[in-house]
Amino acid sequence: MATKIRLQRHGRKGYPFYRIVVADSRAPRDGKFIERLGTYNPNTNPATVDLNFERALYWLNVGAQPTDTTRNILSREGVLLMKHLLGGVKKEKFTLEEAQRRFDAWKEAKVKGFQAERQKLVEAKNAEAKQRLEAEKEVNKAKAEALREKKAAEEKAKQEAAKAAAEEAAAEAEGTTEEVAAAEEEAPAEA
C-alpha cells in the first residue's frame, strides 16, 4: 500500500485550516486516513504548524511520500534534516550525538531567524502606526489653524460691525442734537 503524508482541508470557505495526515494514496483528500500527525494554519502570520515530530520522522523512515506542500512543512520543521542526519549515522559518517548536536544548532538558528523576522514585523507595524499618528497630528494642526483663522475673521467682522454701529449711533446722536439745537434756535425766534 502506497502511503502519503498530505494535507486534509478543514475550515470554512476562504479560511482554510489543514490537518497533516498519513493516508493511503488512493483515499479521497478529506476521507479516511491512517494517522494524524499535526495541523497547519496558513491564516496566521507566520503560518502556524503543530507537528508530532517523532511520528512524522517514523513515517518518512518507513517510506511514506510527502506531497509538495507537506514536504515544505516538514523541511521547515526539520524532519527532513533529521532524516538526512540519521542516514549519515547509518552510514557511520558521524555519531548520533553529533547528529543531534547539528540538529540542535540548526533549530536554534531557525528559532533566532523566526524571532528576528517577527521583531522586524512588529517594528514595521509600530513605525507605520507612528507615521500615521504624525500625519494625523499634522492634519489636526492644519484644521486647528484654519479654525483659528476663521474665528479671528468672524471676531474681526463682529468688531467692525460693532464699530460701524457705534459710529452710526454717534452720527445719529450728533444729528439729533443738531436738529434739537436748530429747533431750539428757531423756537425762540418765533416767540
Side-chain angles (χ1 to χ4, degrees):
M1 166 171 70
T3 55
K4 289 268 189 189
I5 300 176
R6 63 183 180 197
L7 298 178
Q8 199 177 54
R9 191 181 197 281
H10 292 279
R12 66 175 191 263
K13 181 179 177 183
Y15 197 83
F17 179 81
Y18 299 97
R19 289 184 180 159
I20 303 169
V21 296
V22 177
D24 184 357
S25 62
R26 297 168 293 184
R29 179 193 72 183
D30 298 335
K32 193 173 179 181
F33 59 90
I34 300 169
E35 184 178 352
R36 190 170 119 192
L37 299 177
T39 58
Y40 168 60
N41 185 1
N43 302 309
T44 60
N45 187 10
T48 307
V49 176
D50 180 31
L51 183 68
N52 185 339
F53 189 88
E54 288 80 22
R55 292 305 294 169
L57 184 61
Y58 165 79
W59 280 105
L60 279 176
N61 285 332
V62 295
Q65 295 296 313
T67 60
D68 292 339
T69 306
T70 52
R71 180 182 310 279
N72 291 338
I73 292 170
L74 294 175
S75 176
R76 193 177 92 181
E77 293 297 309
V79 177
L80 294 178
L81 176 65
M82 185 55 113
K83 181 180 184 231
H84 175 72
L85 292 173
L86 290 178
V89 170
K90 263 187 200 173
K91 293 179 184 177
E92 298 179 1
K93 299 283 183 185
F94 44 85
T95 64
L96 185 60
E97 291 81 25
E98 175 66 18
Q100 190 62 42
R101 188 189 60 73
R102 288 183 185 184
F103 180 75
D104 291 339
W106 174 86
K107 193 71 166 177
E108 187 176 317
K110 189 83 165 178
V111 167
K112 283 182 182 176
F114 276 139
Q115 288 175 347
E117 187 175 327
R118 186 172 291 129
Q119 183 66 25
K120 192 186 312 180
L121 287 173
V122 167
E123 288 173 1
K125 189 176 181 179
N126 290 342
E128 182 183 338
K130 191 173 185 179
Q131 187 178 14
R132 281 196 319 254
L133 181 64
E134 292 298 323
E136 189 174 336
K137 283 181 181 178
E138 290 297 322
V139 168
N140 288 344
K141 191 183 288 185
K143 284 181 181 179
E145 185 63 33
L147 184 62
R148 200 173 309 118
E149 289 175 5
K150 183 178 177 183
K151 284 186 177 183
E154 287 176 359
E155 188 65 33
K156 189 175 182 179
K158 281 182 184 178
Q159 287 176 355
E160 289 177 3
K163 190 176 183 182
E167 287 176 1
E168 191 175 300
E172 236 178 71
E174 206 174 282
T176 52
T177 52
E178 288 178 8
E179 288 175 9
V180 169
E184 285 179 5
E185 286 178 12
E186 289 176 14
E190 292 176 6

